[in-house]
Amino acid sequence: MKKNAPFTLLLIIIALCFLLPNNNTSIDSWFYAASVKHNHDLFNNSHHLLYNFFAFKTWQFLNLIYPVSALKGLLLLNAFAASVSLFLFSQIIKLAGYSSKNALILTAFCGASFGFLRFATDAETYILPLMWTFGSAYFYIKSDKPLYTALASFFAVIAVCTHQLQIWWALAMFIHIWFLSKRKLGSQLLFSSILLLIPVIYFQTYVMGRYCNISVTAFILGEYSTGGAGLDVSLKALLLTIVNFFRTFLQVHGQIIFLLKKYPYLSLAVIASLIKIIIFVILKSREIIIIQKRVQPNNFALLFLLTFVFNLVFAFLSSGNAEFMVMLPFMMMAYIAFKYEVITHTRSLLIVLFMLIWNLFTGILPSCFENLTQTDVQSQLYINQPEAYFVFENKPQVENQVCYTKNFESNNHFITADQIQLYLDSGKTVYTDFGIKTTALSRASFLKDEQQNDILKNFKLIKTDSFQNLYGKNYIYLISKKDE
């Protein structure tokens, strides 16, 4: 039984990716699903140029077998990509000289990390490029033969075109093959020439998409050229980087307090189990894991270290963006595995089990079964009231969910708080979900602007509908003038 424990636990992690899809899908997830469902400008976002294309083809393929919604298709795609990613990573660790058991244990540690699980169960763009990246890494490390070098470079191209974040992997490989390895000039040139496919693919997409209103450079830079995204070097960014780096391994969120209140007995059982694991690990630490220096350090460790540093620095410059840290546990583990000799015992799976239990209880299960950020009521109200106007706190998510339901041609009836008076004066009906209950301990609330809520205090709010989320009962209000 102990012999198969690493494989069994990794299999459980993979199964959870399929069985616990996020029912609080993000703003972007709704947009990707809408684009796929309505075949809408699949290549419109240069930051993840090919993601919607892969998602669209996957959805078409799945519907040949059994009809599923576009959103479900994206969730299945990411669950599948997560499974392949874990398999490939275990093979990469084996290339460092580890047994199958040790490779599976180290892989399970990364698979149980919250940063991986949260995106493996959502319709976001960060898992699929990870799969291509691990394919690239496997072929690069496997052999320096021309075929393997070509495959490593080709998969790096696909990874970058699936999400630009993987440019840091491609850059790390480029530095490694030219300056840190002993590969021949032919391999270096072959690798570099295939990487040139990246600008070719972008230019071809730019031409075919007829993006005549912007330059090629602006198309490639995407939101960085329009001001929708930028670089941030601040104390706030540093704080968010530290928090989100920790959170990449273990979920940290204000919703935990509400979960403890709602499920007191389950919470006690979970906490008791975690304490028991901690005590056992402390008492048996020498029998769980041993890290020794290699007699001959593996040169590939530098490849993973470079990738780790590039991604962490970029995440910091992007206001500590947790989404850009998804591959950090894998790069950290790969660096340690290739730099040192990590001897793991089956008992080390207790560390993985601790992470898995914590992340399931505090993050994955609530996202699957609770209402944390759902906007179903708001979206349905918007659809049912085509003549009304709306001031919603999570306007982008409602907008994307409406696009998913009704296509991208629906009228834009979203307004801002400072426009309410104007619309009321013209006899329009205006609704809002002002004061929607959430937790103050989150990145979104940390960055939230309260000006809109202050403006709404100048009007009369009449309850017209309600919905329950984890944080309490919430209301949809009809807005009217205070003197009416």
Side-chain angles (χ1 to χ4, degrees), residues 28-37 39-45 48-59 74 77 123-125 128 161-163 408:
D28 291 338
S29 294
W30 279 113
F31 182 80
Y32 307 144
S35 298
V36 168
K37 179 179 179 181
N39 194 9
H40 175 78
D41 205 2
L42 297 179
F43 304 96
N44 72 325
N45 196 313
H48 34 81
L49 188 69
L50 299 182
Y51 177 77
N52 281 346
F53 170 76
F54 286 125
F56 180 69
K57 292 300 180 184
T58 300
W59 184 50
L74 268 67
L77 168 63
E124 279 276 12
T125 59
L128 185 60
C161 291
T162 306
H163 200 293
F408 289 82

Coordinates of all heavy atoms in Angstrom, one line a residue, residues 28-37 39-45 48-59 74 77 123-125 128 161-163 408:
D28 N -12.5 37.0 -16.3 CA -11.8 36.6 -17.6 C -12.4 35.3 -18.1 O -12.5 35.1 -19.3 CB -10.3 36.6 -17.4 CG -9.7 38.0 -17.2 OD1 -10.3 39.0 -17.7 OD2 -8.6 38.1 -16.7
S29 N -12.6 34.4 -17.2 CA -13.1 33.1 -17.5 C -14.5 33.2 -18.3 O -14.7 32.5 -19.3 CB -13.4 32.2 -16.3 OG -12.1 31.9 -15.7
W30 N -15.3 34.1 -17.8 CA -16.6 34.3 -18.5 C -16.4 34.8 -19.9 O -17.1 34.5 -20.9 CB -17.5 35.3 -17.8 CG -18.3 34.6 -16.6 CD1 -18.1 34.8 -15.3 CD2 -19.3 33.6 -16.8 NE1 -18.9 34.0 -14.6 CE2 -19.7 33.3 -15.4 CE3 -19.9 33.0 -17.8 CZ2 -20.7 32.4 -15.2 CZ3 -20.9 32.0 -17.6 CH2 -21.3 31.7 -16.3
F31 N -15.4 35.7 -20.1 CA -15.1 36.3 -21.4 C -14.5 35.3 -22.3 O -14.9 35.2 -23.5 CB -14.1 37.5 -21.3 CG -13.8 38.1 -22.6 CD1 -14.7 39.1 -23.1 CD2 -12.7 37.8 -23.3 CE1 -14.5 39.7 -24.3 CE2 -12.4 38.4 -24.5 CZ -13.3 39.4 -25.0
Y32 N -13.6 34.4 -21.9 CA -13.0 33.4 -22.7 C -14.1 32.4 -23.2 O -14.2 32.0 -24.3 CB -11.9 32.6 -22.0 CG -10.9 33.5 -21.4 CD1 -10.2 33.1 -20.2 CD2 -10.4 34.6 -22.1 CE1 -9.3 33.9 -19.7 CE2 -9.4 35.4 -21.5 CZ -8.9 35.1 -20.3 OH -7.9 35.9 -19.8
A33 N -15.0 32.0 -22.2 CA -16.1 31.1 -22.5 C -17.1 31.7 -23.5 O -17.6 31.0 -24.4 CB -16.8 30.7 -21.2
A34 N -17.3 33.0 -23.4 CA -18.2 33.7 -24.3 C -17.6 33.8 -25.7 O -18.3 33.6 -26.7 CB -18.5 35.1 -23.8
S35 N -16.3 34.1 -25.8 CA -15.6 34.1 -27.1 C -15.7 32.8 -27.8 O -15.9 32.7 -29.0 CB -14.2 34.5 -26.8 OG -14.1 35.8 -26.3
V36 N -15.5 31.7 -27.0 CA -15.5 30.3 -27.5 C -16.9 30.0 -28.0 O -17.1 29.4 -29.1 CB -15.0 29.3 -26.5 CG1 -15.3 27.9 -26.9 CG2 -13.5 29.5 -26.3
K37 N -17.9 30.2 -27.1 CA -19.3 29.9 -27.4 C -19.8 30.5 -28.7 O -20.5 29.9 -29.5 CB -20.2 30.3 -26.2 CG -21.7 29.9 -26.4 CD -22.5 30.3 -25.2 CE -24.0 30.0 -25.4 NZ -24.8 30.4 -24.2
N39 N -17.8 32.0 -31.0 CA -16.7 32.1 -32.0 C -16.4 33.6 -32.3 O -16.3 34.0 -33.4 CB -17.1 31.4 -33.3 CG -16.0 31.2 -34.2 OD1 -14.8 31.4 -33.8 ND2 -16.2 30.7 -35.4
H40 N -16.2 34.3 -31.2 CA -16.0 35.8 -31.3 C -14.5 36.2 -31.2 O -13.9 36.0 -30.1 CB -16.8 36.4 -30.2 CG -16.6 37.9 -30.1 ND1 -17.2 38.8 -30.9 CD2 -15.8 38.7 -29.3 CE1 -16.9 40.0 -30.6 NE2 -16.0 40.0 -29.6
D41 N -14.0 36.6 -32.3 CA -12.6 37.2 -32.3 C -11.7 36.4 -31.4 O -11.1 36.9 -30.4 CB -12.7 38.6 -31.9 CG -11.6 39.5 -32.4 OD1 -10.7 38.9 -33.1 OD2 -11.5 40.7 -32.1
L42 N -11.4 35.1 -31.7 CA -10.7 34.2 -30.9 C -9.2 34.7 -30.6 O -8.6 34.3 -29.6 CB -10.7 32.8 -31.5 CG -12.0 32.1 -31.6 CD1 -11.9 30.8 -32.3 CD2 -12.7 32.0 -30.3
F43 N -8.7 35.5 -31.5 CA -7.3 35.9 -31.4 C -7.2 37.4 -31.0 O -6.2 38.0 -31.2 CB -6.6 35.7 -32.7 CG -6.6 34.3 -33.3 CD1 -7.6 34.0 -34.2 CD2 -5.8 33.3 -32.8 CE1 -7.7 32.7 -34.7 CE2 -5.9 32.0 -33.3 CZ -6.8 31.7 -34.2
N44 N -8.2 37.9 -30.3 CA -8.2 39.3 -30.0 C -7.3 39.8 -28.9 O -7.0 40.9 -28.8 CB -9.7 39.8 -29.7 CG -10.1 39.3 -28.3 OD1 -9.7 38.2 -27.9 ND2 -10.9 40.1 -27.6
N45 N -6.8 38.8 -28.1 CA -6.0 39.2 -27.0 C -4.6 38.7 -27.1 O -4.4 37.4 -27.1 CB -6.6 38.7 -25.6 CG -5.9 39.4 -24.4 OD1 -4.7 39.5 -24.4 ND2 -6.7 39.9 -23.5
H48 N -2.6 36.2 -24.5 CA -2.8 34.8 -24.6 C -3.4 34.5 -26.0 O -4.6 34.0 -26.1 CB -3.7 34.3 -23.5 CG -4.8 35.2 -23.1 ND1 -6.0 35.3 -23.7 CD2 -4.8 36.1 -22.0 CE1 -6.7 36.2 -23.1 NE2 -6.0 36.7 -22.1
L49 N -2.6 34.7 -27.0 CA -3.0 34.7 -28.4 C -3.8 33.4 -28.8 O -4.8 33.5 -29.5 CB -1.8 34.9 -29.3 CG -2.0 35.1 -30.7 CD1 -2.6 36.5 -31.0 CD2 -0.7 35.0 -31.5
L50 N -3.2 32.3 -28.5 CA -3.8 31.0 -29.0 C -4.7 30.3 -28.0 O -5.2 29.2 -28.3 CB -2.7 30.0 -29.4 CG -1.7 30.5 -30.5 CD1 -0.7 29.5 -30.8 CD2 -2.5 30.9 -31.8
Y51 N -4.9 30.8 -26.8 CA -5.7 30.1 -25.8 C -7.1 29.9 -26.2 O -7.6 28.7 -26.2 CB -5.7 30.9 -24.5 CG -6.5 30.2 -23.4 CD1 -6.0 29.1 -22.8 CD2 -7.8 30.7 -23.1 CE1 -6.8 28.4 -21.8 CE2 -8.6 30.0 -22.2 CZ -8.1 28.9 -21.5 OH -8.9 28.2 -20.6
N52 N -7.8 30.9 -26.7 CA -9.2 30.8 -27.1 C -9.3 29.8 -28.3 O -10.3 29.1 -28.5 CB -9.8 32.1 -27.5 CG -10.2 32.9 -26.2 OD1 -10.3 32.3 -25.1 ND2 -10.5 34.2 -26.4
F53 N -8.3 29.8 -29.2 CA -8.3 28.9 -30.3 C -8.2 27.5 -29.9 O -9.0 26.6 -30.3 CB -7.1 29.2 -31.2 CG -6.9 28.2 -32.3 CD1 -7.7 28.2 -33.4 CD2 -5.9 27.2 -32.2 CE1 -7.5 27.2 -34.4 CE2 -5.7 26.3 -33.2 CZ -6.5 26.3 -34.3
F54 N -7.3 27.2 -28.9 CA -7.2 25.8 -28.4 C -8.5 25.4 -27.7 O -9.0 24.3 -27.8 CB -6.0 25.7 -27.4 CG -4.7 25.6 -28.1 CD1 -3.7 26.5 -27.8 CD2 -4.4 24.6 -29.1 CE1 -2.5 26.4 -28.4 CE2 -3.2 24.6 -29.7 CZ -2.2 25.5 -29.3
A55 N -9.1 26.4 -26.9 CA -10.3 26.2 -26.2 C -11.5 25.9 -27.2 O -12.3 25.0 -26.9 CB -10.6 27.4 -25.3
F56 N -11.5 26.7 -28.2 CA -12.6 26.5 -29.2 C -12.5 25.1 -29.9 O -13.5 24.4 -30.0 CB -12.5 27.6 -30.3 CG -13.6 27.5 -31.3 CD1 -14.9 27.8 -31.0 CD2 -13.2 27.1 -32.7 CE1 -15.9 27.7 -32.0 CE2 -14.2 27.1 -33.6 CZ -15.5 27.3 -33.3
K57 N -11.3 24.7 -30.3 CA -11.2 23.4 -30.9 C -11.5 22.3 -29.9 O -12.0 21.2 -30.3 CB -9.8 23.2 -31.4 CG -9.5 24.2 -32.6 CD -10.4 23.8 -33.8 CE -10.2 24.7 -35.0 NZ -11.2 24.5 -36.1
T58 N -11.1 22.5 -28.6 CA -11.4 21.5 -27.6 C -12.9 21.3 -27.4 O -13.4 20.2 -27.3 CB -10.7 21.9 -26.3 OG1 -9.3 21.9 -26.4 CG2 -11.1 20.8 -25.2
W59 N -13.6 22.5 -27.4 CA -15.0 22.4 -27.2 C -15.7 21.7 -28.4 O -16.6 20.9 -28.2 CB -15.5 23.9 -27.0 CG -17.0 24.0 -26.8 CD1 -17.7 23.3 -25.8 CD2 -18.0 24.8 -27.5 NE1 -19.1 23.7 -25.9 CE2 -19.2 24.6 -26.9 CE3 -17.9 25.7 -28.5 CZ2 -20.4 25.2 -27.3 CZ3 -19.0 26.4 -29.0 CH2 -20.2 26.1 -28.4
L74 N -14.1 24.6 -21.3 CA -12.8 25.2 -20.9 C -12.3 24.6 -19.6 O -11.1 24.5 -19.4 CB -13.0 26.8 -20.7 CG -12.7 27.6 -22.0 CD1 -13.6 27.3 -23.1 CD2 -12.7 29.1 -21.6
L77 N -10.8 21.4 -20.4 CA -9.5 21.6 -21.0 C -8.4 21.8 -20.0 O -7.3 21.3 -20.1 CB -9.6 22.8 -22.0 CG -8.2 23.3 -22.6 CD1 -7.5 22.3 -23.4 CD2 -8.5 24.6 -23.4
A123 N -11.5 28.4 -15.6 CA -11.4 28.5 -17.0 C -10.4 29.5 -17.5 O -10.5 30.1 -18.6 CB -12.8 28.8 -17.6
E124 N -9.5 29.8 -16.6 CA -8.4 30.9 -16.9 C -7.4 30.3 -17.8 O -7.4 29.2 -18.2 CB -7.8 31.3 -15.6 CG -8.6 32.3 -14.8 CD -8.3 33.8 -15.3 OE1 -7.7 33.9 -16.4 OE2 -8.8 34.7 -14.6
T125 N -6.4 31.2 -18.1 CA -5.4 30.8 -19.2 C -4.1 30.3 -18.8 O -3.2 30.1 -19.6 CB -5.2 32.1 -20.0 OG1 -4.6 33.1 -19.2 CG2 -6.4 32.6 -20.7
L128 N -2.9 25.8 -19.4 CA -2.5 25.2 -20.7 C -1.1 25.6 -21.1 O -0.3 24.7 -21.6 CB -3.5 25.7 -21.7 CG -3.4 25.1 -23.1 CD1 -3.5 23.6 -23.1 CD2 -4.4 25.7 -24.1
C161 N 3.0 31.7 -27.1 CA 1.8 32.1 -27.9 C 0.5 31.8 -27.2 O -0.6 32.4 -27.5 CB 1.8 31.5 -29.3 SG 3.1 32.2 -30.3
T162 N 0.5 30.8 -26.3 CA -0.7 30.5 -25.5 C -0.8 31.5 -24.4 O -1.9 31.9 -24.0 CB -0.6 29.1 -24.9 OG1 -0.4 28.1 -26.0 CG2 -1.9 28.7 -24.2
H163 N 0.3 31.9 -23.8 CA 0.3 33.0 -22.8 C 1.7 33.7 -22.8 O 2.7 33.0 -22.7 CB 0.0 32.6 -21.4 CG -0.5 33.7 -20.6 ND1 0.3 34.7 -20.2 CD2 -1.7 34.0 -20.1 CE1 -0.4 35.6 -19.4 NE2 -1.6 35.2 -19.4
F408 N -22.3 39.0 -28.0 CA -21.6 40.2 -27.7 C -22.4 41.4 -28.3 O -21.9 42.5 -28.3 CB -20.2 40.2 -28.3 CG -19.3 39.3 -27.6 CD1 -19.2 38.0 -27.8 CD2 -18.4 39.8 -26.7 CE1 -18.4 37.1 -27.1 CE2 -17.5 39.0 -26.0 CZ -17.5 37.7 -26.2

